[in-house]
């Protein structure tokens, strides 16, 4: 029997389910991207795939995920903790500002004048909020990987103190979406050789998958 073309609404619903990643919604024969706040041409699957793989969509998708995860961090705060201190700690860490800098008088004066808030002591940021940010970041990395296969690159360097550091970088291998590599772990070692590199590899996988290491998902490993 001859095939019948799918109805527009049925086709749009299918595209939203198969390509949407939770951000494409179907309203009749209209396909809407929640991340980009725009309608998407759904005449052909190719057009939808182009939008999903575009740099703009990928970036907005990632920002939406980050905002959602940051909201989750705020909801995990105890009654004695507050979102201002969490946001301040995040801003300083992501801007590569040492936490003790918030004790500078000019910093405190600015925060009190412009934000009407008294910044907490840097030891409070370090002991109370930094760990939550770290755990939230690791959770975000796990979520971005999901069940995808990954590639791992390990490289050795030396820090400002002359200590040897082994950095482990991970990327997602997904044919449908571009991958942004990220630093998963840094190990300080006495010497850099095959044993310390192998240990860094193991440490990174245990950090990524604490319940069960999925060696079968590592398709590519690069080191020098």
């Amino acid at each position: 029997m001859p095939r019948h073309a799918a109805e527009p609404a049925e086709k749009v619903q299918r595209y939203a389910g198969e390509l949407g990643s939770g951000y494409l919604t179907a309203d009749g024969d209209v396909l809407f991207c929640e991340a980009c706040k725009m309608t998407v041409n759904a005449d052909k699957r190719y057009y939808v795939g182009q939008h999903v793989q575009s740099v703009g969509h990928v970036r907005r998708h990632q920002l939406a995920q980050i905002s959602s995860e940051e909201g989750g961090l705020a909801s995990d705060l105890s009654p004695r903790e507050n979102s201002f201190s969490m946001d301040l700690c995040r801003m300083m860490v992501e801007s590569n500002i040492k936490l003790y800098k918030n004790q500078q008088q000019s910093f405190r004066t600015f925060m009190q004048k412009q934000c009407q808030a008294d910044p907490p002591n840097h030891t409070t940021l370090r002991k109370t909020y930094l760990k939550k940010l770290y755990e939230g970041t690791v959770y975000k990395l796990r979520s971005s990987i999901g069940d995808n296969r990954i590639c791992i690159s390990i490289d050795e360097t030396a820090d400002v103190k002359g200590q040897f550091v082994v950095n482990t970088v991970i990327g997602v291998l997904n044919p449908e979406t571009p991958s942004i590599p990220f630093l998963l772990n840094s190990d300080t070692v006495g010497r850099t050789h095959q044993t310390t590199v192998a240990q860094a590899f193991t440490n990174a996988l245990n950090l990524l998958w604490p319940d069960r290491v999925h060696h079968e998902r590592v398709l590519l490993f690069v080191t020098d």
Side-chain angles (χ1 to χ4, degrees):
M1 296 179 62
R3 292 184 178 180
H4 296 284
E7 293 293 331
E10 178 186 343
K11 183 170 62 175
V12 167
Q13 187 70 41
R14 186 172 71 250
Y15 292 162
E18 294 176 356
L19 304 173
S21 300
Y23 286 93
L24 292 181
T25 58
D27 183 7
D29 59 354
V30 176
L31 187 63
F32 188 79
C33 178
E34 297 289 349
C36 302
K37 305 300 180 186
M38 61 179 290
T39 57
V40 179
N41 185 347
D43 290 342
K44 294 183 179 180
R45 182 187 182 92
Y46 170 77
Y47 298 144
V48 181
Q50 266 196 327
H51 174 79
V52 171
Q53 296 178 30
S54 67
V55 174
H57 174 82
V58 171
R59 180 58 180 164
R60 295 184 189 98
H61 190 176
Q62 291 172 337
L63 289 175
Q65 287 181 318
I66 292 171
S67 297
S68 175
E69 287 151 7
E70 288 178 353
L73 280 177
S75 65
D76 290 338
L77 298 178
S78 71
R80 298 183 61 183
E81 299 165 353
N82 62 79
S83 59
F84 170 78
S85 297
M86 175 66 80
D87 290 341
L88 175 63
C89 186
R90 179 187 295 109
M91 180 275 293
M92 296 183 72
V93 170
E94 293 181 353
S95 302
N96 200 26
I97 301 174
K98 295 179 174 61
L99 295 181
Y100 70 81
K101 292 289 187 179
N102 80 334
Q103 299 306 112
Q104 296 286 342
Q105 187 56 48
S106 58
F107 185 100
R108 301 186 68 82
T109 300
F110 174 84
M111 298 298 291
Q112 292 164 351
K113 179 180 179 181
Q114 302 298 335
C115 302
Q116 288 77 50
D118 192 27
N121 189 277
H122 66 93
T123 56
T124 301
L125 294 179
R126 183 173 293 106
K127 292 180 179 179
T128 305
Y129 298 97
L130 189 59
K131 183 178 180 181
K132 289 182 180 292
L133 284 178
Y134 171 77
E135 293 172 347
T137 300
V138 173
Y139 175 80
K140 179 176 68 176
L141 297 181
R142 291 194 192 111
S143 299
S144 66
I145 290 175
D147 295 330
N148 290 299
R149 294 178 173 85
I150 64 172
C151 59
I152 298 180
S153 175
I154 291 183
D155 192 26
E156 313 89 36
T157 186
D159 62 15
V160 294
K161 296 181 179 180
Q163 302 176 111
F164 294 110
V165 179
V166 180
N167 295 317
T168 304
V169 177
I170 286 186
V172 176
L173 297 175
N174 189 326
E176 296 186 356
T177 56
S179 172
I180 299 177
F182 52 83
L183 177 65
L184 177 63
N185 196 33
S186 293
D187 290 292
T188 302
V189 297
R191 295 176 59 190
T192 54
H193 45 66
Q194 68 272 20
T195 302
T196 52
V197 169
Q199 186 60 55
F201 180 88
T202 302
N203 292 344
L205 293 187
N206 285 327
L207 177 61
L208 181 61
W209 295 306
D211 297 327
R212 173 178 173 267
V213 175
H214 298 278
H215 292 98
E216 72 281 0
R217 295 184 189 171
V218 182
L219 294 192
L220 179 64
F221 173 53
V222 180
T223 188
D224 55 13

